[in-house]
Amino acid sequence: MAREAETHADIPFGPEDTPWQKTFSGLRVVGGRPYGTPPSSDPRAAYIGVPEVPHHKVQLPPTGLDAEQYTEAEALFRRHIDTQTRNFAGYQVTSALDYEERLGHYLNRHLNNVGDPYQSNSYTLNSKVLERAVLDYFASLWHAKWPHNPEDPESYWGYVLTMGSSEGNLYGLWNAREYLSCKPLRTHPREPGNVPVEQALRGEGPHVFHPVAFFSEDTHYSLTKAVRALDIDTFHALGSTRYPDENPLAPGSPWPREVPSTEHGAIDIEQLAVLVRFFASRGYPILVNLNYGSTFKGAYDDVEAAARTVRGICAEYGLDNRRVHRNCGKNSDYDERSGYWLHVDGALGAGYAPYLEMARDAGLVEQAPPTFDFRITDVHSLTMSGHKWMGTPWACGVFMTRTGLQMAPPRPSEYIGAADTTFAGSRNGFSSLLMWDYLARHSYDDQARLAAECDGLAAYTHEQLLALQEQLGQDLWVARSPQALTVRFRQPHADIVRRYSLSGETVHVDGAARTYVHLYAMRHLTRQRVDQLIGELRQPGAFAPASSTRTTAGGVREAQPDGPGADTASR
Ligand SMILES: *Cc1c(COP(=O)(O)O)cnc(C)c1O
C-alpha cells in the first residue's frame, strides 16, 4: 500500500506541475511523511475540464499559490466568468449586477441572521433590521396582512432563505406536512367554534393525518427532492401501492407520476380535480404545489381556479375545515384547520408578475398572468428566489406564510436567544442586505417598466425565432407560453448551447422525444444579444438535420442541472 501511495504522490500538481509530494514545505513534512493523503489518481483527469481555466492553474498545493500564480489563476477565472456573463441567456436569473461599489465593504463583515427574523438576540452581527424591511416589502407586494404580529394569526410570517426557492419549497412542504398531520401550531390557535360539530366529525378515518402531495409534470425537481426528504407520499406513490388498479384518469393503466399539464405547461385543473377527489373521498388531507412561472416553459398555473377547485372538493368530504385535537385526538383541547394546503412555487413569477400586473394597469403591456398571492385566501405559503428576477450574486429568496399556520419549532433554542423557526442554524445575513439594497434603489415604477421591457424582449425573441424557422424551412418547435419570460426551441449545436448557457429539456410530444433548449429574456439580455444568437442559429450546421434530434456533444449535459431535465431524464 505504501508503495502505491508513493507512486501517486508523483502526480504533477499545481501551476508548476510539481510532483504532489514535493509541494510541501519542510515545516509541513514531519517525520519524513507529508501530512494528509496523497491523490489516488490524477485529479486533472478525474474532473470535467473548463478549457478556459486549466485545472493545474487553480489546483491548491499545501503551500498555497504565490502572488504571481494567484494573479494568473484569478485572471483566467475572471476572464472566463466575464465572457459567460455577457452571453448568459438560458436561465431565469439576472446577471447584470451592480452591488460592488456600495456593498463591497460588507465582504469584510460577518452577518448572521441566526434564528427567527423577528426576535433579536445576543448575536448582534446580523442584518435582521433589513431582513424585516424586505419581508414587509414582499408582504405588501403579495397582499398579505402586515406587519408581522405574533398575536395575529392573519398577519404574515416569513424569512429570508439561505438557499433559493428549493429551500422555500422544502420549508413550505415541511410546514404543510406538520399542519396536515396533528402536530402542534406555534401560536395560539384561532378561536375554536366555527366548525359545526357534524362536519368536524366527518373526515375522520384511518387516513386523516396522512397527507398526499400533488404537483404537475412541469414542476421543478426541488419538489421531488422535498417530498423524498420529508417522506411525504405523492399521489403516485400512494396510488401505485394502495390502489394499483384504480387510476381514475385512465382506468387500467399505471398511475401518472405527476399531474398532467396543458400544452403550455400549466397544471391541468380538471385532471387535478379528478386526482384530488380520489384521495379526498378516502379521507386523505390534500397538499398541492402550484407553479407560478414553471422552470422550463415559464408557465403560470391558474392558482385561483386550482384553489377554488381543491377547496370545493375538500368541502364535500369534510376536509375544508376540521378540528384537530392535540396529541392526535387523545387530548380534548383542539384547534381548527383546513384539511388541505396550497403552496405556491413562485421562484421567478412571484418576483416578476406583480410588476407586470402594475405595468398592465398602467397601460404599458396588454396582459398579465393570473393572480397567485395572498389575495387568494387559500394560498397557505409562497416562495420566491431573490437571484432570479431581482438578481443577486448568489442564491437567496423569501418564504412566506400566515402566522396562524406556523408550526411549533422542534425545540426551544435558548442558546441563540431567538426561536429556531427556520431550517438553517446560521443564516446568511448578506442576502437580506442585497435585497434591501435592490429594493431601495428600484421603485415600483422602475420595476414595472423593467417588467414591461423584459416581456417585450421575450415577445421580440419569439418573433425572431418564428421568422428564422420560416426562413430555414425547418420546424424549430418555437414556442412561448402566455406571458412567459422564456422562449423554447429545438436544441442547436453544442457550441451555441455552451456559449449562451442555454438549458435543455427533453419533452415528449405525441410519443416522440424532443430535446428543447430555452432562452430567458432577463433584464441583462439585449436585442443585440438576441440578434447575435439568431445570426448564429442561421448558420449551416446550427441545427441537426430534421430527422435526428440526438446530441453528441458533452456541453449540453452540463447545461441541464438547473432545469427539471435532470429529473425527467432519470425516469
Ligand atoms: C429555479 C426554480 C426553483 C429552485 O429555485 P432555487 O432558487 O434554484 O433553489 C424552484 N422552482 C422553480 C419553478 C424554479 O424555476
Side-chain angles (χ1 to χ4, degrees):
M1 280 323 264
R3 270 182 75 88
E4 198 172 35
E6 266 165 38
T7 33
H8 291 144
D10 284 341
I11 287 170
F13 197 81
E16 314 301 337
D17 284 341
T18 316
W20 183 82
Q21 65 194 357
K22 300 224 170 84
T23 60
F24 287 80
S25 73
L27 183 63
R28 292 181 187 86
V29 182
V30 181
R33 291 187 110 240
Y35 192 87
T37 52
S40 68
S41 70
D42 187 352
R44 297 179 195 171
Y47 304 128
I48 302 165
V50 177
E52 296 83 355
V53 188
H55 202 140
H56 67 285
K57 294 289 186 193
V58 295
Q59 281 184 318
L60 291 167
T63 47
L65 301 180
D66 66 26
E68 206 176 304
Q69 293 165 339
Y70 179 93
T71 305
E72 189 188 357
E74 195 271 334
L76 285 167
F77 181 69
R78 183 184 297 217
R79 205 173 312 133
H80 167 60
I81 289 302
D82 288 356
T83 304
Q84 292 306 108
T85 299
R86 267 194 298 284
N87 290 326
F88 196 72
Y91 290 86
Q92 62 278 50
V93 302
T94 297
S95 65
L97 310 177
D98 68 336
Y99 294 104
E100 183 182 353
E101 208 177 298
R102 291 176 311 286
L103 304 186
H105 172 77
Y106 294 95
L107 275 181
N108 288 334
R109 293 290 174 273
H110 172 80
L111 296 175
N112 188 338
N113 291 7
V114 61
D116 193 88
Y118 304 93
Q119 295 179 349
S120 53
N121 48 39
S122 51
Y123 206 118
T124 54
L125 290 181
N126 68 63
S127 66
K128 288 186 184 181
V129 66
L130 306 182
E131 179 178 16
R132 291 187 287 264
V134 168
L135 292 167
D136 274 2
Y137 176 98
F138 282 107
S140 169
L141 190 73
W142 296 333
H143 298 90
K145 182 173 181 188
W146 63 288
H148 164 68
N149 173 0
E151 304 298 323
D152 180 357
E154 289 305 319
S155 72
Y156 87 92
W157 177 84
Y159 76 99
V160 169
L161 304 161
T162 284
M163 301 196 273
S165 289
S166 297
E167 181 186 339
N169 288 336
L170 192 61
Y171 196 93
L173 264 57
W174 168 77
N175 203 135
R177 186 194 72 185
E178 302 287 276
Y179 182 88
L180 296 174
S181 316
C182 50
K183 301 294 190 301
L185 296 168
R186 180 177 180 211
T187 56
H188 197 74
R190 272 180 254 211
E191 282 303 307
N194 299 327
V195 184
V197 177
E198 324 80 69
Q199 186 183 316
L201 295 177
R202 286 172 63 207
E204 286 189 2
H207 314 307
V208 272
F209 298 126
H210 187 159
V212 49
F214 300 80
F215 46 85
S216 84
E217 58 194 21
D218 281 77
T219 299
H220 189 261
Y221 61 86
S222 58
L223 260 296
T224 316
K225 191 158 55 179
V227 294
R228 184 176 298 183
L230 295 164
D231 204 12
I232 296 173
D233 275 329
T234 63
F235 73 89
H236 168 262
L238 215 50
S240 314
T241 52
R242 296 202 182 168
Y243 313 98
D245 304 318
E246 299 176 53
N247 170 11
L249 291 180
S253 41
W255 285 78
R257 288 193 165 265
E258 287 122 358
V259 181
S261 300
T262 62
E263 183 198 337
H264 280 304
I267 195 165
D268 184 322
I269 292 176
E270 279 176 30
Q271 303 203 56
L272 172 68
V274 172
L275 292 166
V276 165
R277 180 178 296 281
F278 183 93
F279 288 94
S281 66
R282 285 164 178 76
Y284 292 92
I286 304 296
L287 198 184
V288 180
N289 170 76
L290 297 166
N291 302 317
Y292 200 67
S294 69
T295 308
F296 197 73
K297 295 180 179 172
Y300 303 96
D301 287 353
D302 188 339
V303 178
E304 194 159 20
R308 205 180 323 117
T309 302
V310 170
R311 188 196 333 108
I313 294 169
C314 286
E316 288 180 45
Y317 302 104
L319 284 169
D320 54 338
N321 212 349
R322 55 186 193 157
R323 289 182 181 178
V324 173
H325 288 263
R326 301 282 156 75
N327 221 346
C328 292
K330 296 184 192 74
N331 194 317
S332 63
D333 206 9
Y334 64 88
D335 57 64
E336 290 174 2
R337 354 178 156 169
S338 60
Y340 60 96
W341 185 285
L342 296 185
H343 172 73
V344 176
D345 175 0
L348 172 66
Y352 161 69
Y355 305 114
L356 197 64
E357 192 177 321
M358 292 176 204
R360 182 202 57 198
D361 295 345
L364 298 176
V365 296
E366 276 171 22
Q367 282 183 305
T371 308
F372 68 98
D373 60 22
F374 292 108
R375 277 175 282 188
I376 301 166
T377 49
D378 291 316
V379 166
H380 290 68
S381 56
L382 178 56
T383 191
M384 177 208 73
S385 297
H387 52 295
K388 289 189 168 171
W389 169 253
M390 267 190 277
T392 54
W394 48 74
C396 64
V398 170
F399 171 81
M400 197 168 283
T401 183
R402 292 188 173 91
T403 298
L405 301 174
Q406 274 191 278
M407 305 310 295
R411 52 172 284 189
S413 48
E414 187 195 348
Y415 177 66
I416 57 167
D420 189 15
T421 48
T422 66
F423 267 160
S426 289
R427 213 151 50 82
N428 171 356
F430 212 119
S431 296
S432 292
L433 170 64
L434 289 167
M435 288 197 261
W436 178 85
D437 175 274
Y438 181 86
L439 297 169
R441 293 181 304 105
H442 293 83
S443 67
Y444 276 10
D445 286 4
D446 297 335
Q447 298 242 56
R449 249 177 249 120
L450 283 171
E453 279 167 26
C454 290
D455 179 64
L457 186 58
Y460 173 79
T461 307
H462 187 212
E463 283 159 24
Q464 295 301 305
L465 282 164
L466 286 173
L468 177 70
Q469 174 168 275
E470 186 87 355
Q471 201 182 348
L472 296 181
Q474 185 184 355
D475 187 359
L476 301 181
W477 315 329
V478 176
R480 180 186 177 211
S481 299
Q483 281 85 57
L485 274 182
T486 183
V487 183
R488 55 191 184 275
F489 56 99
R490 181 194 285 263
Q491 176 181 274
H493 192 276
D495 288 345
I496 302 179
V497 169
R498 184 163 194 275
R499 183 149 48 251
Y500 293 92
S501 303
L502 302 178
S503 75
E505 180 169 77
T506 298
V507 176
H508 292 267
V509 180
D510 302 330
R514 288 178 162 191
T515 305
Y516 283 84
V517 293
H518 69 179
L519 169 147
Y520 258 98
M522 302 303 290
R523 187 155 46 89
H524 61 268
L525 198 72
T526 56
R527 283 194 178 208
Q528 192 189 0
R529 198 67 64 188
V530 171
D531 292 343
Q532 175 193 314
L533 169 64
I534 301 278
E536 291 186 36
L537 293 175
R538 191 177 287 121
Q539 301 306 312
F543 292 98
S547 58
S548 146
T549 59
R550 289 228 158 270
T551 2
T552 46
V556 178
R557 282 203 163 271
E558 277 183 71
Q560 283 192 354
D562 202 41
D567 187 43
T568 317
S570 66
R571 277 183 219 133

